[in-house]
Amino acid sequence: MGVRGKMRARWERTRTWGAANPWAVDLGIALLVQAAMTMPFVVPRPPEIEPATWPAYGLTTLTVLPLVWRRRAPLAVLLAILATSALYRLAVEGPGQPLPYTGLVIVYTIALVSPPWKRLATAGLLVVAVPTSVWLNTQSARELTFSLFVFAAAYVFGRLQDARQRAHLVEAERAAARERARIAREMHDILSHAVSLMVVQAEAGPVAVRAAPERAEAAFEAISETGREAMTQLRQMLGLLREGSEGAAPREPQPDLSELPELVRRVNASGLKVAFTTEGGVRALPTATGAGVYRIVQEALTNVVKHADARAAEVRIVHEDGVLRITVTDDGRGPGPGAGMAARASGGHGLTGIRERAAAHGGTATAGPGPDGRGFEVRALLPVPSTAEVGR
């Protein structure tokens, strides 16, 4: 991680800590404002001006103190600051401040956290308070213009920060919804694939027990293996849902192209003969893309097992420069005349999920009759890094 990455991570940790400890943040802001307002008291004053007094300094502290409650009662804090500031101006002889620090902080806060009626009330108070303060001080148009400008800037910054926080909240909600949808698709694929294979193997078990006991034993072993694999993947998915809580399951790598032969072997154990071929120069894929390819093939084979009444199927992966082609073909029932991607989707969400997975990676997926109109074929096309990009 570079210097910029470390600084960003440190800032994110600080912001998270601040969100969890608002009182500490407000106290820190109050101390910072107090430090800024102390400066005119420690800077030497001209001989003709009376020295600053401790009562005057104590009154500045009384002006700053309400900022500790700025988020709980912002309008009340504004009234307290206006009152103590007027008392400072009228009752004591103290040095002036280059900026109205306390007023700027509370106006920013009201613009950030308060409802419209409080913001409107604040605007009304400032329209009266700012000209009055300028009249009691210098009575100059320059100071009036400057004061109105800085208070308006504080208000605008508060509204911009509120808009930014709302945008972040909306984006976080959308990201959470996308993650929930992704996990739902993953769990659907895992359960649909495992249950379909187990049902096929269980239905074949009684026949095999009578005709070929060794095949029955293999079928039951396949059921057990399929169930264990499904449980492992489900624990992984549930671990993602509980991530961050005590006792969460560790986050394991997502499946990728290297696990396709094992997937084909498990489907073969169910009685469906699946051929697996790859063409072109095999190269590493991004983790998300590899997992997407695995799930597309898994769902296509699940549909063959559940709906096709097929004896054989073929999985073909073609690596081209910048493109990955996935084809899953079977010799079972075709979709029928004029049918397409939705032909087998009527019984579930499998083919719809394939299309959505392909689209999530910038690709496309189609389905229809197999070669020469026999069987069924699922075709997916995914953009992948080209050879030149991988070599960089």
Side-chain angles (χ1 to χ4, degrees):
M1 183 183 294
V3 176
R4 182 177 299 178
K6 291 180 179 178
M7 292 179 62
R8 182 176 301 173
R10 189 177 294 114
W11 168 249
E12 289 297 329
R13 288 195 298 269
T14 302
R15 189 169 65 173
T16 302
W17 180 88
N21 301 274
W23 273 94
V25 174
D26 292 343
L27 180 60
I29 290 175
L31 292 174
L32 186 63
V33 172
Q34 181 65 37
M37 296 184 70
T38 300
M39 295 301 173
F41 286 87
V42 299
V43 173
R45 308 185 76 187
E48 65 273 13
I49 300 178
E50 294 184 5
T53 63
W54 283 107
Y57 183 72
L59 197 53
T60 63
T61 303
L62 189 62
T63 303
V64 173
L65 185 60
L67 289 180
V68 176
W69 293 273
R70 68 187 184 98
R71 275 185 266 206
R72 285 201 168 187
L75 195 56
V77 170
L78 174 62
L79 293 173
I81 288 174
L82 290 176
T84 52
S85 298
L87 182 63
Y88 180 85
R89 177 63 58 188
L90 297 173
V92 300
E93 281 293 332
Q97 298 289 338
L99 284 172
Y101 300 107
T102 53
L104 294 178
V105 170
I106 194 58
V107 168
Y108 169 86
T109 303
I110 290 174
L112 175 63
V113 304
S114 295
W117 74 267
K118 287 189 177 181
R119 300 201 299 268
L120 185 61
T122 299
L125 287 172
L126 292 179
V127 166
V128 175
V130 171
T132 302
S133 176
V134 172
W135 183 80
L136 292 174
N137 190 26
T138 63
Q139 300 182 4
S140 70
R142 180 177 180 180
E143 183 185 1
L144 177 61
T145 303
F146 176 75
S147 299
L148 291 174
F149 172 79
V150 295
F151 278 110
Y155 181 86
V156 169
F157 286 148
R159 296 306 303 150
L160 289 175
Q161 180 65 13
D162 177 65
R164 182 185 178 192
Q165 290 179 354
R166 291 176 183 272
H168 285 173
L169 181 61
V170 170
E171 180 57 32
E173 291 175 348
R174 288 176 178 172
R178 289 194 296 268
E179 182 65 6
R180 286 194 296 269
R182 185 191 70 80
I183 292 175
R185 285 197 301 269
E186 295 283 345
M187 296 184 72
H188 167 269
D189 290 349
I190 293 168
L191 287 173
S192 178
H193 177 75
V195 172
S196 297
L197 294 185
M198 293 167 71
V199 167
V200 169
Q201 292 156 353
E203 289 176 344
V207 177
V209 166
R210 294 188 295 268
E214 67 282 356
R215 286 183 55 197
E217 183 178 350
F220 292 135
E221 288 179 356
I223 290 173
S224 176
E225 182 182 356
T226 302
R228 284 194 299 269
E229 176 67 19
M231 289 300 297
T232 299
Q233 295 191 48
L234 285 175
R235 277 196 297 268
Q236 178 183 343
M237 290 296 103
L238 294 174
L240 294 180
L241 291 174
R242 298 195 304 267
E243 189 170 358
S245 63
E246 186 178 353
R251 187 164 189 164
E252 301 175 6
Q254 290 287 296
D256 56 20
L257 267 67
S258 65
E259 298 182 39
L260 285 178
E262 176 62 20
L263 172 65
V264 170
R265 187 192 67 78
R266 290 200 304 270
V267 177
N268 271 319
S270 72
L272 177 69
K273 302 303 180 183
V274 183
F276 176 62
T277 59
T278 60
E279 299 178 15
V282 179
R283 57 184 179 276
L285 298 178
T287 302
T289 304
V293 173
Y294 180 93
R295 295 304 186 195
I296 288 173
V297 174
Q298 182 185 54
E299 186 56 44
L301 289 177
T302 302
N303 282 345
V304 174
V305 172
K306 291 171 64 176
H307 305 296
D309 193 20
R311 295 182 178 180
E314 179 186 12
V315 177
R316 192 160 165 255
I317 306 293
V318 180
H319 295 265
E320 299 177 1
D321 197 33
V323 172
L324 184 72
R325 298 182 183 275
I326 308 164
T327 307
V328 180
T329 309
D330 65 67
D331 63 356
R333 295 194 305 266
M341 193 70 175
R344 291 187 186 167
S346 59
H349 303 286
L351 293 177
T352 301
I354 290 175
R355 184 174 60 241
E356 291 176 350
R357 282 189 182 279
H361 296 285
T364 59
T366 57
D372 301 325
R374 293 180 301 175
F376 195 79
E377 185 174 73
V378 175
R379 300 169 291 275
L381 184 67
L382 302 183
V384 297
S386 64
T387 305
E389 291 172 328
V390 172
R392 289 177 185 173

